[in-house]
Amino acid sequence: MVLEPVPGARCDSESYYYCYSFDRELEQEWTWTERYPRQPEIKAYLDHVADRFDLRRDIRFSTTVTGARADADGRGWTVSVQEGTDLHCRFLVTAVGCLSAANVPDLPGLETFAGRWFHTGRWPHEGVDVTGRQVGVVGTGSTGIQAIPVLAREAAHLTVLQRTPNYSVPARNGPLSEAESRSYKADYADIRAVQAASANGHPFVVNPQSALEVDAAERDGVYRAAWERGGLRFRASYRDLLADEEANETASEFVRDRIREIVRDPETAARLLPHDHGFATKRPPIDTGYFETYNRDDVTLVDVRADPVEAVVPEGLRLRSGAVHELDDIVFATGFDALTGPLLRLDPTGPDGTSLRSAWWDGPRTYLGLAVSGFPNLFTITGPFSPSVLTNMPSSIEQHVDWIAGCLAHLRATGADRIEADPGAEQAWGEHNREAADATLLPRAATSWYLGANVPGKPSVFMPYAGGFARYAGTCADVARDGYRGFRLGHRRAVA
Ligand code: NAP
């Protein structure tokens, strides 16, 4: 069977809110078929939105932007594209995504591999058939955890090369009934209000109790109900799961117990137990039959923390010990150069010739995750130091788009043609980000891509804003209300 798109790829926010909220009719006319739809259904939705709002005439497809440089007066940008001539614009808005720069491990010998290799973020559009093949997967993040059960069903044998064991909660995916669709459509006003007031853009109210103020039996009941319901909502079981180590440990141990229960071979189960970080301090995956997959005779789990992958050889992967895993296909589910990577690959250059790469040599600096000092008239949708990947992404994207649209309208109305983040405001925002992250357990997960730890040599900076979506959106609204506090606005002088 041809696996297209990436095996197991689905959203992990639920469909009824992993979508736009800006149009009431759109909400009512589109009906999702599953709790977590596959990529083709999400693409069909985006196609529908593009057609419904007649967006295609404003989009140039199949165009690769290779660079952007600011005009010397900071009042415009020249954008270079691979296919055709340069473009010029007054304002440049990047929407390059947080997780779009693939992170392929720099392993010697990759070019000598006799089989096929893939990175999940660059999966061939025509799909891949692994039927009857010896397949190796490197990586057990959200992508690996989604892909492994599907690959195991199709391949002759699957070898999972695991560096850091991960927590995962069952997704409990399934079709949405007509009654369920009717119900969310009827409730949209309330759902959107809960999302807007939330810490992460999900329409769940977090249990206001501490995990430590109830007895073990009651807590176990709450976790069991959350496990049965499935999905990221598990995190909402208690208010302090991401703020208090002891509280977090109760959830971590609950998930470890489920792993011990599901995986029949005790040695394999032990290897799968996360031990170096707390539940959800790295981005928590949700799965369909992930831990159960290790009960198959044709699946092998290899600990590459103890014995790291050292090289690719023509037959497969060679570990430090010298052991070679013979493979026909290698699937790198090794994640992304997150948040900064997509912007640095674009590497815009400011009016004084400074590149973003040199401005960010020791880590990102932004004001509100929306703008960078030294780079006037540039807006970065879901940039570093905005809530982005800690939230339901459509919520964060819409909030940024609305804010930028409001800002551009303000500039036009006031005759301004230049806007730039003030370096002092940017520095204060960076400090506030650090404080917000340090108030949580998130920076303690040493191998987290939130910190850039997955990319060798990347500066260690906690990149998403951890102060909460509602608080952040409030700050952005206040900044606008205060006449774009922290930004310098420039007006072109009238020509005499
Ligand atoms: P990831 O979370 O960064 O996981 C990458 C995996 O590869 C980790 O297990 C990592 O191990 C391992 N790895 C990286 N380099 C390695 C090497 N040289 N040798 C051995 N192992 C190596 O990436 P991802 O799974 O693609 O997920 C990224 C994010 O995308 C998610 O956290 C989520 O935000 C998003 N996502 C969402 C969905 C969804 O909506 N359902 C699905 C997939 C992804 P270490 O942990 O030791 O670094």
Side-chain angles (χ1 to χ4, degrees):
M1 181 181 162
V2 175
L3 296 172
E4 173 266 327
V6 183
R10 294 177 183 277
C11 58
D12 61 2
S13 292
E14 295 186 39
S15 50
Y16 70 90
Y17 66 91
Y18 193 72
C19 55
Y20 294 113
S21 69
F22 67 84
D23 189 278
R24 298 289 159 257
E25 283 176 19
L26 174 64
E27 280 178 346
Q28 295 301 317
E29 74 196 12
W30 183 266
T31 301
W32 294 102
T33 67
E34 288 185 279
R35 186 173 176 189
Y36 307 99
R38 292 174 68 234
Q39 183 265 1
E41 187 170 349
I42 298 171
K43 179 165 182 300
Y45 171 75
L46 295 173
D47 281 337
H48 170 73
V49 172
D51 291 334
R52 190 188 193 287
F53 296 98
D54 194 17
L55 303 179
R56 289 180 200 271
R57 64 196 167 94
D58 292 323
I59 303 174
R60 190 188 283 196
F61 291 98
S62 304
T63 303
T64 307
V65 174
T66 53
R69 57 180 196 282
D71 295 353
D73 64 1
R75 290 183 150 80
W77 285 88
T78 299
V79 176
S80 314
V81 293
Q82 205 163 288
E83 306 79 2
T85 50
D86 289 356
L87 306 165
H88 192 265
C89 55
R90 169 78 62 210
F91 299 100
L92 179 60
V93 181
T94 63
V96 288
C98 299
L99 297 162
S100 56
N103 173 41
V104 180
D106 187 16
L107 291 170
L110 190 53
E111 69 291 348
T112 68
F113 182 49
R116 306 177 298 181
W117 69 268
F118 310 95
H119 184 279
T120 48
R122 296 190 203 140
W123 199 254
H125 288 295
E126 66 279 12
V128 175
D129 191 353
V130 298
T131 315
R133 296 173 72 87
Q134 307 283 324
V135 178
V137 177
V138 183
T140 52
S142 300
T143 305
I145 281 177
Q146 283 186 330
I148 284 163
V150 181
L151 289 169
R153 283 200 295 274
E154 302 295 323
H157 188 274
L158 184 72
T159 304
V160 178
L161 299 111
Q162 171 194 266
R163 191 161 66 182
T164 308
N166 217 338
Y167 300 91
S168 183
V169 172
R172 311 277 181 218
N173 187 38
L176 282 173
S177 66
E178 255 179 64
E180 284 170 307
S181 295
R182 257 199 317 276
S183 157
Y184 73 67
K185 286 184 185 188
D187 290 347
Y188 257 133
D190 291 342
I191 290 167
R192 299 305 188 192
V194 177
Q195 284 182 273
S198 71
N200 51 22
H202 290 262
F204 312 141
V205 177
V206 178
N207 180 352
Q209 284 182 305
S210 161
L212 304 176
E213 73 188 55
V214 295
D215 65 30
E218 183 181 337
R219 203 167 47 226
D220 191 64
V222 168
Y223 288 149
R224 273 181 199 279
W227 184 266
E228 287 314 314
R229 190 174 48 227
L232 292 173
R233 195 171 177 172
F234 192 97
R235 289 179 301 186
S237 298
Y238 292 102
R239 69 168 155 76
D240 50 358
L241 291 189
L242 291 179
D244 182 287
E245 215 155 324
E246 207 184 325
N248 181 281
E249 179 56 20
T250 64
S252 301
E253 190 54 17
F254 177 85
V255 179
R256 287 188 208 108
D257 275 343
R258 302 288 75 70
I259 299 171
R260 293 180 184 108
E261 208 169 71
I262 295 168
V263 180
R264 285 197 288 269
D265 173 44
E267 268 181 42
T268 307
R271 246 177 276 147
L272 285 165
L273 296 181
H275 49 77
D276 68 346
H277 65 286
F279 169 72
T281 58
K282 289 173 82 168
R283 171 67 146 70
I286 62 172
D287 71 275
T288 301
Y290 173 64
F291 294 113
E292 290 82 350
T293 298
Y294 293 97
N295 291 331
R296 297 178 64 111
D297 296 333
D298 52 5
V299 173
T300 309
L301 178 67
V302 177
D303 177 359
V304 295
R305 172 76 63 199
D307 190 4
V309 179
E310 202 163 63
V312 183
V313 290
E315 317 81 71
L317 290 170
R318 194 184 68 221
L319 308 189
R320 185 172 294 167
S321 63
V324 172
H325 290 277
E326 292 189 11
L327 301 168
D328 300 317
D329 295 321
I330 303 172
V331 176
F332 290 110
T334 44
F336 301 90
D337 183 355
L339 289 135
T340 51
L343 288 163
L344 290 174
R345 288 185 191 189
L346 187 64
D347 203 18
T349 307
D352 66 357
T354 304
S355 69
L356 191 67
R357 190 167 285 282
S358 56
W360 283 4
W361 68 274
D362 59 349
R365 291 189 187 87
T366 74
Y367 182 39
L368 302 171
L370 272 163
V372 186
S373 73
F375 296 81
N377 289 10
L378 175 72
F379 296 100
T380 51
I381 292 180
T382 64
F385 299 161
S386 74
S388 67
V389 293
L390 296 181
T391 69
N392 174 48
M393 286 304 294
S395 307
S396 280
I397 292 167
E398 280 193 318
Q399 184 262 335
H400 266 189
V401 169
D402 287 346
W403 192 92
I404 294 167
C407 178
L408 293 177
H410 173 82
L411 298 177
R412 186 176 298 153
T414 56
D417 61 357
R418 194 181 195 282
I419 180 165
E420 181 177 355
D422 178 80
E426 186 178 72
Q427 193 181 339
W429 184 250
E431 279 158 21
H432 174 57
N433 264 267
R434 261 190 303 283
E435 283 160 14
D438 288 345
T440 73
L441 301 175
L442 300 177
R444 300 192 200 178
T447 58
S448 168
W449 58 258
Y450 295 153
L451 281 164
N454 61 325
V455 176
K458 189 164 172 170
S460 181
V461 175
F462 193 86
M463 295 176 288
Y465 175 61
F469 174 73
R471 180 180 176 197
Y472 171 81
T475 303
C476 291
D478 289 346
V479 164
R481 206 172 300 119
D482 294 349
Y484 294 90
R485 166 167 42 88
F487 287 95
R488 295 172 181 165
L489 274 54
H491 297 78
R492 188 178 282 284
R493 272 182 226 104
V495 181

